[in-house]
Amino acid sequence: PPSALEVTVIGHQFWWEYRYPALGVVTANELHVPVSDPSRPRPTFLTLLSADTDHSFWIPQLAGKVDLIPNRVNQLWFDPPRPGIFLGQCAQYCGTQHGKMLLRVSVDAPDEFDAWIRAEQAPAIEDDSVTHGRRIFERTACINCHAVRGTVANGRFGPDLTHLMSRSTIASGAAENTPENLRVWLKDPDAINPKSALG
């Protein structure tokens, strides 16, 4: 229906990319969708693509399992009746880190979803506390893989990092997103996700 939210899901080894084409939002590893109740239906329609090998999108409490296959477009929709966090897993062996390719869907109340979209659409906030880190990021190989809106970084191999600190988890859901875990992830990725692409 016209009220449906459309999201493009792209499976990568070993993370998830979420694109909201009509809303201009790109994020990674945490899918946000609005709750859909009978008085105000708002189903979510997913276009499923693969960037590399076979993956499978499976959130048992929301919908069945649908494969993502290179050079093929698959689709899935769900109509979440209540807010909450719904967990899933890539259900197709896709390589050595398949077991860490977790799925996290946040079904938000309509006003919370709208607030999340507005925050994601906003430019990244920069203050003196991040200026040094930005300089390091922009002068190293990080920008070859990652994008950050408003900077020279426009890589597409790794997740978009524009609003990284708004996410609950890092490393495809393998660790809570805290400053301590982020330091470990950058310094020694294998400590969180062995054989990761960063290691």
Side-chain angles (χ1 to χ4, degrees):
S3 62
L5 171 69
E6 293 191 32
V7 182
T8 301
V9 177
I10 305 170
H12 297 261
Q13 287 181 309
F14 298 96
W15 60 282
W16 299 97
E17 180 177 3
Y18 301 114
R19 295 181 169 269
Y20 299 73
L23 302 172
V25 169
V26 177
T27 189
N29 297 321
E30 295 179 10
L31 176 62
H32 282 257
V33 300
V35 72
S36 182
D37 63 59
S39 65
R40 188 176 170 191
R42 190 153 184 214
T44 297
F45 181 80
L46 305 177
T47 298
L48 303 168
L49 308 171
S50 173
D52 38 46
T53 189
D54 292 358
H55 299 284
S56 193
F57 191 90
W58 184 44
I59 309 285
Q61 292 181 311
L62 292 179
K65 178 176 87 72
V66 177
D67 291 339
L68 289 73
I69 299 167
N71 302 313
R72 179 179 171 86
V73 177
N74 279 342
Q75 300 169 334
L76 170 70
W77 71 273
F78 48 81
D79 205 18
R82 62 183 169 82
I85 301 294
F86 298 87
L87 303 177
Q89 172 76 46
C90 177
Q92 173 69 36
Y93 182 74
C94 55
T96 57
Q97 291 305 298
H98 160 71
K100 299 265 187 176
M101 196 166 166
L102 308 174
L103 285 157
R104 181 182 182 93
V105 178
S106 178
V107 177
D108 304 327
D111 56 335
E112 291 172 345
F113 177 75
D114 293 341
W116 179 82
I117 288 292
R118 282 192 303 276
E120 290 294 314
Q121 290 170 331
I125 297 172
E126 185 172 333
D127 58 35
D128 293 341
S129 68
V130 299
T131 302
H132 180 67
R134 177 180 175 164
R135 267 191 248 122
I136 293 171
F137 178 82
E138 289 182 340
R139 292 180 181 160
T140 61
C142 303
I143 64 173
N144 295 330
C145 294
H146 297 283
V148 175
R149 277 194 323 269
T151 73
V152 297
N154 64 358
R156 295 286 175 243
F157 184 72
D160 186 297
L161 301 178
T162 303
H163 290 289
L164 172 66
M165 295 315 292
S166 71
R167 300 175 193 158
S168 302
T169 63
I170 56 173
S172 294
E176 186 181 355
N177 189 3
T178 65
E180 298 77 26
N181 285 344
L182 189 54
R183 280 188 200 89
V184 170
W185 178 237
L186 292 172
K187 221 173 172 179
D188 183 17
D190 286 348
I192 292 177
N193 195 344
K195 299 183 189 278
S196 73
L198 290 176

